[in-house]
Amino acid sequence: MTQGKRVIVVGGGLAGLAATVRIAEAGTPVDLVSMVPVKRSHSVCAQGGINACNDVARQQGYSEWQHMDETLYGGDFLNHQPPVYEMTHWAPRIIDLLDRMGVPFNRTTEGFRDLRLFGGSLFKRTHFAGASTGQQLLYGLDEQVRRYEAEGKVTKYEFWEFLAPVMDEGVCRGIIAQDMRTMEIRSLPGAAVVMATGGCGLIYGKSTMSMICNGAAAARCYIAGAPLGNPEMIQVHPTAIPGEDKCRLMSESARGEGGRVWVPRKKGDTRDPRKIPEAERYYFLEEKYPKYGNLVPRDIATREIFWVCQEGLGIGGGNMVYLDITHLPRETKDKLAAILEIYETFTGDDPRETPMKIFPAVHYSMGGLYTVYTPEERPPVPGDPLPGVVGLKHGAPDNMMTPLKGLYAFGELNYQYHGATRLGANALLSCIFDGLFCGLSVHNYALEQPASSNSTAAFQQAAEKEKQKAQKLIDNQGEHNPYELHQRLGLEMTAAATVVKEESRMQQARESVRQMKQQYKSIKLADAGGWTNQNLMFARALGDMLPYAEAILAASIARKESRGSHYRSDYTQRVDDPFHKTTVVSYDSAADEPKIDWEDIPLPMVPLRARTYGKVEG
Amino acid sequence: MSQTETTSKRPSRFTVRVKRQDDPRSAPYFQAFELEYRPNLNVISILQMIAAKPVTTEGKQVAPVAWDCNCLEEVCGACTMVINGKVRQACSCLLDELLAPGRGASGEIVTLEPMSKFPVVRDLFVDRQRMFDNLLKIKAWVPIDGTHARGPGPRETQEAQEERYAISRCMTCGCCLEACPQFTKDNMFRGAQIMAQAMYFNRHDTGKQLKDQRLDVLMGEGGVHDCGNAQNCVKVCPKEIPLTEAIGRAGRQITVHAIKKFFNAGK
């Protein structure tokens, strides 16, 4: 047992909760820190499902190996292979475990877990629980954490914000955190710290992510010395419902069932869409891609929608196009009921009657904190086509540890598993896998640590630094409004570094972000109070989003090729030599700039091959 | 009515009244903000507009309004508040719906208040810890052996899955408790949310190992017997969870449980 030692987990989504369960089970008590009650974490937003090889698919020729291959192919081979091998081979037992935890997976007539077809595979390998799989999985893990909480093995710090890791002589000894209600800033010592704080969508202003997914926690680790891996890899979903407050996903099944994408031929046409005659509608996907029409691959759809709006043909000249299902028969509309209701709830318009207005939106961060692992060579299991394979060594203390000793990164924050693009229904899997598989690594690492740290001075210093930083923000008497600055950051990042990237536009964005950093120095808060000051928390996070945005831009500029989600209009091809490499971005604190290094990606099992989705016919 | 027609009938500006409270101990007060009308606003975006420019209708610069939110897709439960007298999520509450004709005398005014059954942290941000504490009390979990590989969980019919899934969509938002006349800030009543959750776990093959312990809690103070059967809970639940049905089932399970306990008492 770990006498007196505790571990800190920051973030209570799937990755954080799975880690908490595994670490507490192994015998190390956990302090769980989260900005929201963990049951309200962003994982609840996932709808589709969770991938795993299963008995039915297996009998049809599917295997864990094939799941791995799909994940690597989807990720355009930017993913490290041993972690993907281990994740996909663990997937079936993860589903079993969630099933035992009572997650209400949909069932077949005989009472087995039901399966559905999802992108990137020809086999049914996606398990689901109604239309809110992420919510159901999160609740299943939340319940197990509650059980350990009842046993005194988990202490929750909900409505607490992570401010910084505490480093002492190169080792992470805990964190500084702030109570978001009382504003108390304090240190929390921990034998290890697991960061599981999700994606960075808010850097793009509006995304499909939740309001806490601002990337600030990642940026704080980056500034403290933990490098980022592939921060340029940001997934954009082609069809989201743009909202004033956020973008909400509109499932691809709307197009799958016959939905048509169009804009008025006349620029800035303000007519009611239903009154625009057929001849005056521009079905641009169908015209440009007669063979695939509205069902072109996701990245192409995303780029075409983006371009048509750039040309000024978007609805009313803005950034939106019509996704029209009004012409479909009633039975088809009924089949789409669940997703159509989401549209109606948040727009007030009935998509059965009026065409939906959609636009691509930032959806997932494949990149994140850079981590390492211990590979393990072993004999194959059934389905593996090689005489020897490479997985992860279970329990090795460094699995998914950042180069900052004792600081781990799990879940969406971890740059591993998805490479240059993530397959649908693989996110929930990677988050839970990180927590369950690598939780033991954290426990083992904690065991090796001295019983008590002598880092009192480091803690005091770090806490003092955060107190001063907060006070400085409160006292600042400048002219810039943090919300306005954030809005500009979002617009600039969305314009320069999402769907289509190009050198000069990104250089321009880098320059604007540099200016914003200057302007940030003279922001003024509207609230100088010392109680539940959300203004302060927002402004502080903004200050951390700016260097993260610079890292995204710098990496996007440096990667002079197109790969997965990273599409360069000036370099449209994948270029393996020299870009089949991980972009490792470290923070140069002296220059206050990102610094880029390239790291080779070993290919121990599957050789590189071209990614040719959608080009097989013809 | 088309979007364009709807929009043309909209006011150019509208007023939002917010019930404010600086901290848990101070007295509440109202403040009004006048905002520019835009199509597709929801209550969250209204609050974001106020946060960006917190100036009242009197032109006074004030501290921004504090509120709780996260997913903005009506699935995390965080942004629950009382809007024009009705408890609901701010994210799925559209301004056009609030301003629709025939919405009562409030006219162009939107009133935002914190939930009244929970302690206020600040402004519209309340502390719903009591709901999570109750989940602890009723042992809201399935007592699995551990995380090691032990094969699948118990098989289940699709019918049973649907029954459980309906309850498992509960996002601990607190609407049912806000609307309940029996649930007050100071009493012990546990409310519909927890009765439904207890039934959710009692319905599961492994979860029911703790059934008796859950029923002991629901038999005690603040349990099922304190329900006044007003049935408000089921009317305000945003996820349409069959709450009254769950309370009914809890009552029946308790009756059987009490009889069993009575006969076992002598042993």
Side-chain angles (χ1 to χ4, degrees):
Chain A
M1 295 298 275
T2 45
Q3 293 114 352
K5 281 181 254 180
R6 306 181 68 82
V7 156
I8 297 167
V9 174
V10 184
L14 287 174
L17 294 185
T20 301
V21 168
R22 188 67 193 94
I23 296 167
E25 180 187 44
T28 304
V30 177
D31 289 324
L32 178 56
V33 179
S34 169
M35 290 175 76
V36 292
V38 293
K39 218 182 158 178
R40 308 200 195 287
S41 300
H42 176 61
S43 305
V44 293
C45 288
Q47 297 172 359
I50 175 165
N51 293 334
C53 180
N54 55 82
D55 288 344
V56 178
R58 208 186 296 281
Q59 289 168 53
Q60 295 166 345
Y62 194 64
S63 64
E64 286 89 345
W65 178 271
Q66 199 159 337
H67 183 189
M68 173 184 80
D69 189 76
E70 288 162 359
T71 306
L72 297 173
Y73 182 66
D76 225 343
F77 296 94
L78 209 59
N79 6 28
H80 271 244
Q81 298 187 356
V84 181
Y85 178 91
E86 202 65 59
M87 172 180 82
T88 49
H89 284 70
W90 259 59
R93 57 184 284 187
I94 287 176
I95 302 293
D96 277 348
L97 174 61
L98 294 164
D99 189 13
R100 283 167 49 219
M101 287 177 180
V103 172
F105 284 113
N106 277 51
R107 299 285 160 170
T108 63
T109 318
E110 283 188 64
F112 292 107
R113 293 177 304 232
D114 203 1
L115 297 154
R116 63 163 55 138
L117 204 55
F118 234 71
S121 186
L122 298 169
F123 295 89
K124 283 191 179 178
R125 52 137 162 77
T126 304
H127 304 70
F128 61 104
S132 60
T133 309
Q135 179 193 39
Q136 297 307 312
L137 300 188
L138 185 83
Y139 289 2
L141 289 165
D142 171 68
E143 288 148 21
Q144 296 302 318
V145 167
R146 188 164 291 108
R147 181 184 177 193
Y148 284 114
E149 193 185 5
E151 291 173 19
K153 291 173 183 162
V154 172
T155 305
K156 283 181 187 159
Y157 290 79
E158 293 174 321
F159 292 118
W160 278 75
E161 184 180 6
F162 164 87
L163 299 184
V166 176
M167 300 300 300
D168 191 26
E169 291 173 351
V171 182
C172 182
R173 298 292 186 199
I175 65 165
I176 305 297
Q178 181 169 36
D179 186 322
M180 297 163 69
R181 296 151 301 183
T182 67
M183 306 309 281
E184 175 199 358
I185 291 178
R186 61 165 287 192
S187 56
L188 274 174
V193 174
V194 178
M195 298 300 296
T197 53
C200 64
L202 253 72
I203 289 177
Y204 288 85
K206 287 183 276 188
S207 70
T208 65
M209 292 188 210
S210 295
M211 302 316 281
I212 54 171
C213 304
N214 56 26
R220 288 162 192 168
C221 295
Y222 164 67
I223 290 163
L228 299 169
N230 303 329
E232 72 276 26
M233 295 304 172
I234 303 275
Q235 188 171 66
V236 180
H237 195 284
T239 59
I241 314 163
E244 282 290 322
D245 51 344
K246 83 170 291 191
C247 303
R248 300 173 176 94
L249 266 204
M250 174 45 56
S251 167
E252 245 170 59
S253 50
R255 281 182 290 139
E257 296 292 342
R260 301 177 75 187
V261 177
W262 62 276
V263 289
R265 284 198 186 275
K266 200 175 84 189
K267 277 189 187 180
D269 196 332
T270 52
R271 279 179 293 174
D272 179 334
R274 289 167 305 171
K275 290 181 184 151
I276 299 178
E278 197 69 13
E280 292 173 43
R281 296 177 177 194
Y282 179 24
Y283 292 96
F284 56 96
L285 289 178
E286 296 171 30
E287 285 190 25
K288 288 189 185 178
Y289 301 87
K291 211 173 247 173
Y292 300 96
N294 295 289
L295 283 172
V296 287
R298 191 181 273 198
D299 52 334
I300 294 182
T302 296
R303 286 195 284 274
E304 291 296 344
I305 293 168
F306 182 78
W307 273 322
V308 89
C309 293
Q310 290 285 301
E311 288 169 33
L313 282 165
I315 304 168
N319 277 339
M320 275 195 279
V321 302
Y322 290 118
L323 171 55
D324 199 345
I325 59 108
T326 58
H327 59 286
L328 297 177
R330 176 190 283 239
E331 309 84 72
T332 315
K333 289 177 182 169
D334 287 349
K335 214 162 129 189
L336 294 169
I339 62 164
L340 299 182
E341 272 159 28
I342 295 175
Y343 188 85
E344 194 170 359
T345 300
F346 289 99
T347 65
D349 290 335
D350 183 355
R352 293 169 190 83
E353 303 294 327
T354 309
M356 294 182 272
K357 294 179 194 170
I358 57 102
F359 193 70
V362 166
H363 183 50
Y364 191 86
S365 325
M366 275 77 67
L369 288 178
Y370 173 89
T371 52
V372 298
Y373 56 88
T374 300
E376 182 180 72
E377 288 178 32
R378 60 172 89 119
V381 297
D384 295 353
L386 302 178
V389 297
V390 191
L392 301 185
K393 189 172 165 59
H394 195 199
D398 73 345
N399 285 334
M400 303 311 146
M401 194 192 270
T402 70
L404 298 188
K405 198 171 173 228
L407 185 75
Y408 294 80
F410 288 6
E412 188 172 346
L413 177 69
N414 184 0
Y415 95 110
Q416 301 276 5
Y417 308 110
H418 307 296
T421 272
R422 175 181 64 77
L423 291 187
N426 256 358
L428 300 183
L429 176 63
S430 64
C431 289
I432 299 173
F433 172 75
D434 258 346
L436 280 183
F437 185 88
C438 307
L440 184 64
S441 299
V442 178
H443 166 76
N444 287 343
Y445 170 81
L447 282 179
E448 294 170 356
Q449 297 311 299
S452 65
S453 79
N454 296 316
S455 305
T456 323
F459 279 113
Q460 277 175 355
Q461 212 179 357
E464 197 46 49
K465 192 175 155 195
E466 290 304 323
K467 282 176 194 168
Q468 282 173 12
K469 190 173 163 187
Q471 197 55 47
K472 206 178 147 200
L473 277 168
I474 285 174
D475 293 342
N476 225 14
Q477 293 298 327
E479 72 268 32
H480 292 287
N481 179 326
Y483 293 94
E484 223 175 77
L485 205 53
H486 174 249
Q487 203 178 11
R488 272 163 47 210
L489 172 70
L491 291 173
E492 189 63 8
M493 289 300 287
T494 304
T498 45
V499 182
V500 178
K501 304 175 184 176
E502 183 269 324
E503 181 96 19
S504 62
R505 184 65 189 86
M506 288 194 288
Q507 294 290 4
Q508 190 190 324
R510 275 211 73 179
E511 193 43 46
S512 350
V513 176
R514 273 192 204 104
Q515 278 171 18
M516 288 180 208
K517 278 167 87 177
Q518 285 307 313
Q519 291 163 350
Y520 180 78
K521 287 178 184 161
S522 56
I523 57 167
K524 181 169 166 34
L525 304 192
D527 188 356
W531 181 265
T532 323
N533 189 337
Q534 296 180 333
N535 209 221
L536 167 69
M537 293 180 260
F538 181 85
R540 182 173 48 205
L542 174 65
D544 297 311
M545 286 184 225
L546 291 166
Y548 199 112
E550 281 189 309
I552 293 172
L553 289 170
S556 299
I557 290 169
R559 184 175 286 282
K560 296 189 194 313
E561 66 156 352
S562 290
R563 187 185 295 269
S565 294
H566 172 76
Y567 180 82
R568 292 277 304 248
S569 58
D570 43 359
Y571 301 94
T572 57
Q573 300 300 310
R574 185 176 101 182
V575 185
D576 290 328
D577 184 14
F579 292 112
H580 179 246
K581 285 188 169 64
T582 300
T583 326
V584 184
V585 186
S586 359
Y587 178 68
D588 178 346
S589 55
D592 184 23
E593 289 273 326
K595 184 176 136 308
I596 292 180
D597 290 294
W598 300 98
E599 189 188 69
D600 286 334
I601 302 165
L603 295 162
M605 291 171 278
V606 183
L608 282 176
R609 64 179 190 272
R611 185 172 176 268
T612 55
Y613 284 123
K615 290 182 187 161
V616 280
E617 294 173 35
Chain B
M1 201 162 31
S2 82
Q3 183 104 42
T4 345
E5 281 161 359
T6 320
T7 311
S8 64
K9 283 181 194 154
R10 294 290 169 222
S12 62
R13 300 186 77 77
F14 64 98
T15 304
V16 185
R17 281 172 79 237
V18 184
K19 189 177 186 182
R20 309 206 54 176
Q21 186 174 331
D22 296 345
D23 60 62
R25 285 159 303 278
S26 61
Y29 56 96
F30 274 95
Q31 248 168 16
F33 301 88
E34 202 184 77
L35 300 170
E36 196 181 320
Y37 175 84
R38 288 205 304 262
N40 303 322
L41 290 179
N42 61 359
V43 170
I44 294 290
S45 46
I46 290 172
L47 286 164
Q48 288 175 338
M49 284 160 81
I50 296 175
K53 203 177 164 216
V55 178
T56 65
T57 41
E58 291 91 41
K60 198 175 136 202
Q61 173 89 32
V62 294
V65 177
W67 82 96
D68 193 5
C69 72
N70 195 30
C71 78
L72 311 191
E73 296 185 12
E74 206 193 61
V75 69
C76 82
C79 67
T80 312
M81 55 185 72
V82 178
I83 303 168
N84 284 359
K86 193 179 169 228
V87 66
R88 56 189 300 185
Q89 279 70 52
C91 64
S92 53
C93 181
L94 307 179
L95 177 64
D96 284 345
E97 181 196 334
L98 295 175
L99 298 181
R103 283 278 158 176
S106 62
E108 253 68 278
I109 295 176
V110 176
T111 303
L112 306 179
E113 294 170 87
M115 282 194 277
S116 64
K117 303 290 180 73
F118 300 96
V120 168
V121 176
R122 183 176 176 180
D123 299 334
L124 303 171
F125 179 4
V126 297
D127 180 356
R128 281 168 280 184
Q129 187 57 39
R130 181 170 166 189
M131 297 182 77
F132 296 107
D133 289 345
N134 277 334
L135 287 171
L136 261 177
K137 290 217 183 70
I138 62 142
K139 298 189 193 298
W141 57 78
V142 171
I144 58 165
D145 288 350
T147 64
H148 296 91
R150 315 222 69 175
R155 252 158 86 174
E156 186 175 41
T157 61
Q158 179 59 18
E159 192 191 358
Q161 184 273 347
E162 277 163 20
E163 225 173 274
R164 290 203 306 125
Y165 179 69
I167 303 179
S168 188
R169 295 178 73 211
C170 171
M171 50 189 185
T172 329
C173 68
C175 284
C176 57
L177 306 179
E178 177 69 16
C180 172
Q182 305 306 120
F183 186 94
T184 69
K185 252 181 190 169
D186 319 300
N187 70 3
M188 279 280 291
F189 186 47
R190 299 187 199 278
Q193 167 237 1
I194 219 67
M195 320 265 172
Q197 288 299 306
M199 292 307 104
Y200 172 73
F201 291 99
N202 285 0
R203 183 81 168 85
H204 187 264
D205 261 358
T206 317
K208 71 181 174 207
Q209 303 299 318
L210 301 172
K211 185 177 174 181
D212 289 352
Q213 295 177 51
R214 293 192 192 104
L215 294 175
D216 280 342
V217 176
L218 295 189
M219 266 171 74
E221 201 188 346
V224 175
H225 298 305
D226 292 1
C227 168
N229 202 27
Q231 308 202 0
N232 290 0
C233 52
V234 77
K235 288 177 205 143
V236 297
C237 177
K239 296 294 151 189
E240 293 168 353
I241 298 170
L243 293 167
T244 42
E245 217 176 285
I247 296 171
R249 191 180 310 140
R252 290 191 295 278
Q253 286 188 4
I254 282 170
T255 307
V256 176
H257 179 64
I259 293 167
K260 264 206 294 198
K261 269 189 112 156
F262 177 81
F263 283 109
N264 286 339
K267 286 181 191 169

